[in-house]
Amino acid sequence: GLMKIFRNYLKRCIKIAERNCMRIRIIGDTAAFDPDIQESIRNLEEYSSRFDEFYFQIALNYGGRDEIVRAVRKISEDIRKGILTPEDVTEDLVARSLDTAGIPDPDLLIRTGGEQRISNFLMWQSAYTEFYYTDVYWPDFNKNDLIKAIEEYNVRTRRFGG
């Protein structure tokens, strides 16, 4: 039942992307999904790749550690094939091998529900991210809560990156 809802959601996302000029990317290990879902994900990403007004990432079957492991495996395979050498491995190469390649690292990560941990989310990408913690749960998080988080972010003094 959940996969049927998800299949329909992916189809609706194309219309949403077009209406909002929004580029949609799926991050996570999509290989675990049925082939038709994988194809729908590819179609959605390809279709929306022409838009640049908004960028929207959906994390599916995603874990930060898993993402790093998959990137290391990809790089290791290229080394094994002779495409790369160990000396070619840099932070930039690792970043380009992650699910979020081409997407800027987040400036602000809002953690709802009173939790104060990363929870295996964007572990590589959040190295210089500012965190905002709120006791408000996600379903209740609204525009005013977002404004409050951005206002707090804007008054912070950062030594690196802005």
Side-chain angles (χ1 to χ4, degrees):
L2 286 177
M3 289 298 111
K4 183 177 180 180
I5 292 169
F6 182 52
R7 284 177 174 92
N8 289 332
Y9 177 73
L10 287 171
K11 290 175 187 171
R12 283 197 342 251
C13 277
I14 287 181
K15 293 175 185 169
I16 294 168
E18 186 166 36
R19 187 171 50 247
N20 295 290
C21 297
M22 181 171 56
R23 185 176 301 177
I24 300 175
R25 286 268 301 273
I26 308 298
I27 61 171
D29 185 4
T30 58
F33 294 107
D34 289 341
D36 68 303
I37 292 177
Q38 292 177 46
E39 183 176 348
S40 292
I41 289 169
R42 282 191 298 277
N43 290 341
L44 173 61
E45 289 180 331
E46 183 179 321
Y47 180 82
S48 69
S49 67
R50 62 192 169 123
F51 301 123
D52 61 3
E53 188 77 20
F54 297 103
Y55 294 81
F56 182 60
Q57 287 80 47
I58 302 171
L60 298 173
N61 195 28
Y62 175 85
R65 288 180 175 182
D66 177 62
E67 177 186 28
I68 293 168
V69 168
R70 285 186 285 110
V72 169
R73 285 184 180 145
K74 188 183 324 179
I75 292 168
S76 298
E77 184 63 20
D78 284 347
I79 291 171
R80 188 186 68 72
K81 290 178 180 176
I83 298 169
L84 296 172
T85 68
E87 294 74 30
D88 293 328
V89 179
T90 62
E91 283 189 28
D92 182 59
L93 176 65
V94 172
R96 287 185 284 123
S97 301
L98 296 171
D99 297 345
T100 55
I103 300 170
D105 290 344
D107 293 314
L108 175 65
L109 192 140
I110 300 169
R111 184 64 172 149
T112 59
E115 299 290 342
Q116 294 192 15
R117 55 191 166 91
I118 295 175
S119 296
N120 198 26
F121 187 72
L122 298 178
M123 295 174 69
W124 176 277
Q125 300 86 338
S126 62
Y128 295 104
T129 298
E130 295 282 331
F131 289 82
Y132 176 80
Y133 302 101
T134 178
D135 289 332
V136 177
Y137 287 99
W138 172 249
D140 299 322
F141 192 86
N142 60 37
K143 181 179 177 180
N144 290 333
D145 296 313
L146 178 61
I147 290 169
K148 184 177 174 184
I150 292 170
E151 286 173 345
E152 182 177 311
Y153 169 81
N154 282 334
V155 298
R156 294 181 183 177
T157 303
R158 289 171 287 288
R159 292 183 290 159
F160 301 104

